[in-house]
Amino acid sequence: MSHRTTRRRFLAAAPAALAAPMYVRARGQNERLNLAVIGVADRGGANLAGVAHENVAVLCDVDPARLGAAKTRFPMAADFVDYRQMFDRASNRFDAVVISTPDHSHCLPAVLAMTRGKHVYCEKPLAYSVAECRLMRKLAVERRLVTQMGTQIHAGDNYRRVVEVVRAGLLGAVTRVHVWLGSKPPAGVRKGPRATPKLDIDLWAGPATTELFDADHPNSPHKNASRPWPHFHWRYWWEFGGGELADFGCHFMDLPAWAVNLGLPTRVEATGRKTYEGDNTVPDVMQVDYRFPAVQGRGEVHLTWYHGVPGPALDGSVRHEGFGSGVLFEGDRGKLLADYGKYRVFPEAFARDFVAPPRSVPASIGHHREWTEAVKSNGPTTCNFDYSGRLAEAVLLGNVAYRAGRPIVWNAETGRTDSPDADRYLAREYRRGWELPRI
């Protein structure tokens, strides 16, 4: 008998102890994994290419055209349009799952996989809601599964070099971090109550309680023939995504989370506004202030996220040449500015005598291969759900504070804020027929 997954039940279940640990057999390093891939185009296409060195045994996508294109590359793979049927009918065909669905459909397939003992690679942000992130993290840890979130920038050399500089103490004590994204969400036009794409809109909506409406983003720089609505642009609507913060926060905040060992915040305050004329309501200009408590080896850290501005100031008054988006670490000896591919230190007096520390963080074998090799050996990954679940939780708390319209105090033990009004944004209801399994 189906049941409705309510916010109250979700908030209660996420921090609770889950089932007994499940031990998964390690595979030989030369033995290919059998993989299921859910979502096969856009980021899904990149992830599919990233794991193509293994045996892609099952393909799943709600869009028949996208599924057909992937099938031509992997003709021996079984194919499905409904991941629920995939798990019910083909679980014996695969060892691990790659999930590249829209945010609102991350948690359910991940939980269906992990409760079956399958290892999981899931795109960022880890989930649509804070409660889902917490549930996925707990389940991965309890079942001792090999997991990885799709923050592929983590595998690049530049982030590693920045982590070495910060951890070596060359900047001194770092208590202030600024993170900014220069881009803005495009305006969307809601054209009708029900979308008419060439795919099953019920399957696309999945667990979301909102029926997929029709929309367009006529001036979006991301619009092209391969991305008809709802592809890609779903992320700019609260019904299915979390705007620019959810889209890019895990990429950019990953660097300070790694370098300074941020963990989870205790206080989050957000402000922002919508300056575009569109029916979507995610803010295009936003600032979020996170307070991370002191831990052994460092004091309290104040991190501020900004988007829709060219630098770390909500009024657009601050810019750093060559860094339209970036991360700024402020230490009591010096400062470091970084983006995905480069960094520089300043002021000039500090930079003149700066010598990078010896390399201590080894090069990555590749973000996807790191996961597949770890699955074979039951080894570690750098963006496992224990780490990346906390990162995504912190990021998404910014949207909670913004939507609640007030600062929040976060209790990571209970998974609740100090405000019932804010708590209602921590989780969401699941549509009948798409409920999470009872764990």
Side-chain angles (χ1 to χ4, degrees):
M1 185 178 194
S2 65
H3 61 280
R4 193 173 183 83
T5 304
T6 64
R7 288 188 180 91
R8 179 175 295 178
R9 176 174 171 262
F10 209 154
L11 289 171
L18 298 174
M22 177 178 291
Y23 297 88
V24 181
R25 179 179 67 90
R27 284 178 168 266
Q29 294 300 107
N30 295 322
E31 188 177 356
R32 297 174 76 198
L33 295 174
N34 295 316
L35 300 178
V37 179
I38 308 173
V40 299
D42 276 343
R43 277 308 309 160
N47 289 333
L48 182 57
V51 298
H53 58 281
E54 305 294 347
N55 179 43
V56 177
V58 183
L59 297 167
C60 182
D61 200 293
V62 300
D63 188 325
R66 291 181 163 195
L67 183 61
K71 181 75 171 177
T72 61
R73 293 182 54 206
F74 302 94
M76 301 304 294
D79 57 278
F80 294 86
V81 294
D82 187 337
Y83 58 74
R84 298 169 302 174
Q85 293 181 0
M86 183 195 83
F87 285 110
D88 286 343
R89 300 177 185 177
S91 282
N92 62 337
R93 294 193 179 199
F94 55 90
D95 310 296
V97 181
V98 179
I99 299 170
S100 308
T101 54
D103 296 358
H104 73 282
S105 286
H106 280 186
C107 184
L108 179 54
V111 170
L112 291 174
M114 290 188 284
T115 54
R116 288 167 169 79
K118 310 297 184 183
H119 308 281
V120 178
Y121 181 108
C122 184
E123 259 306 310
K124 56 77 196 165
L126 196 59
Y128 174 87
S129 73
V130 169
E132 290 173 324
C133 292
R134 291 170 65 86
L135 176 61
M136 290 168 67
R137 173 166 57 88
K138 289 286 290 182
L139 189 54
V141 172
E142 292 288 339
R143 299 298 175 99
R144 299 189 180 183
L145 294 166
V146 178
T147 54
Q148 184 92 305
M149 185 170 76
T151 42
Q152 68 275 8
I153 312 303
H154 195 98
D157 284 341
N158 186 61
Y159 271 25
R160 283 163 159 69
R161 305 292 80 82
V162 171
V163 168
E164 291 163 351
V165 171
V166 175
R167 288 186 173 178
L170 299 185
L171 303 179
V174 175
T175 57
R176 191 75 174 96
V177 180
H178 301 268
V179 184
W180 68 97
L181 176 74
S183 63
K184 296 183 176 184
V189 179
R190 192 160 176 159
K191 299 172 63 179
R194 185 176 174 85
T196 57
K198 296 179 180 179
L199 52 82
D200 188 319
I201 64 173
D202 181 75
L203 292 180
W204 190 93
T209 56
T210 301
E211 184 176 53
L212 180 61
F213 46 83
D214 197 14
D216 188 24
H217 298 75
N219 298 315
S220 171
H222 311 294
K223 185 178 180 180
N224 58 53
S226 68
R227 290 173 171 171
W229 173 257
H231 296 316
F232 190 85
H233 291 89
W234 54 262
R235 69 195 68 215
Y236 304 123
W237 298 79
W238 286 127
E239 291 87 348
F240 310 113
E244 298 284 39
L245 177 58
D247 200 22
F248 284 97
C250 288
H251 278 317
F252 282 100
M253 287 174 59
D254 176 35
L255 182 54
W258 187 9
V260 190
N261 186 28
L262 288 178
L264 289 168
T266 51
R267 180 179 171 85
V268 184
E269 183 173 0
T271 186
R273 59 188 182 273
K274 174 189 167 187
T275 67
Y276 60 92
E277 292 188 8
D279 296 323
N280 49 329
T281 57
V282 295
D284 59 323
V285 178
M286 187 179 186
Q287 175 176 324
V288 185
D289 286 279
Y290 298 88
R291 301 283 181 167
F292 293 89
V295 297
Q296 185 175 4
R298 67 155 175 80
E300 180 185 79
V301 175
H302 177 194
L303 181 148
T304 304
W305 163 273
Y306 317 79
H307 72 244
V309 290
L314 199 60
D315 62 3
S317 62
V318 178
R319 298 170 184 256
H320 292 279
E321 186 177 354
F323 291 85
S325 301
V327 180
L328 173 61
F329 295 88
E330 295 185 352
D332 56 14
R333 297 178 189 166
K335 300 179 181 182
L336 184 149
L337 181 60
D339 58 15
Y340 289 172
K342 63 183 180 298
Y343 79 87
R344 69 178 177 88
V345 297
F346 64 101
E348 184 178 348
F350 174 74
R352 187 165 47 246
D353 298 325
F354 174 80
V355 178
R359 294 191 174 189
S360 57
V361 183
S364 172
I365 60 174
H367 203 59
H368 298 89
R369 192 175 290 272
E370 178 185 299
W371 174 67
T372 58
E373 292 302 305
V375 170
K376 295 175 185 179
S377 63
N378 280 346
T381 55
T382 56
C383 293
N384 59 72
F385 289 180
D386 194 26
Y387 167 82
S388 61
R390 289 181 172 88
L391 170 61
E393 181 178 328
V395 167
L396 295 178
L397 283 170
N399 277 340
V400 171
Y402 175 80
R403 299 183 77 182
R406 54 155 291 168
I408 58 174
V409 175
W410 181 238
N411 187 325
E413 292 298 316
T414 65
R416 294 180 183 271
T417 75
D418 60 334
S419 165
D421 287 339
D423 282 351
R424 66 194 180 101
Y425 295 109
L426 295 174
R428 64 193 176 107
E429 294 185 351
Y430 275 47
R431 188 160 61 101
R432 188 171 297 277
W434 295 84
E435 301 91 348
L436 289 166
R438 292 191 181 275
I439 301 169

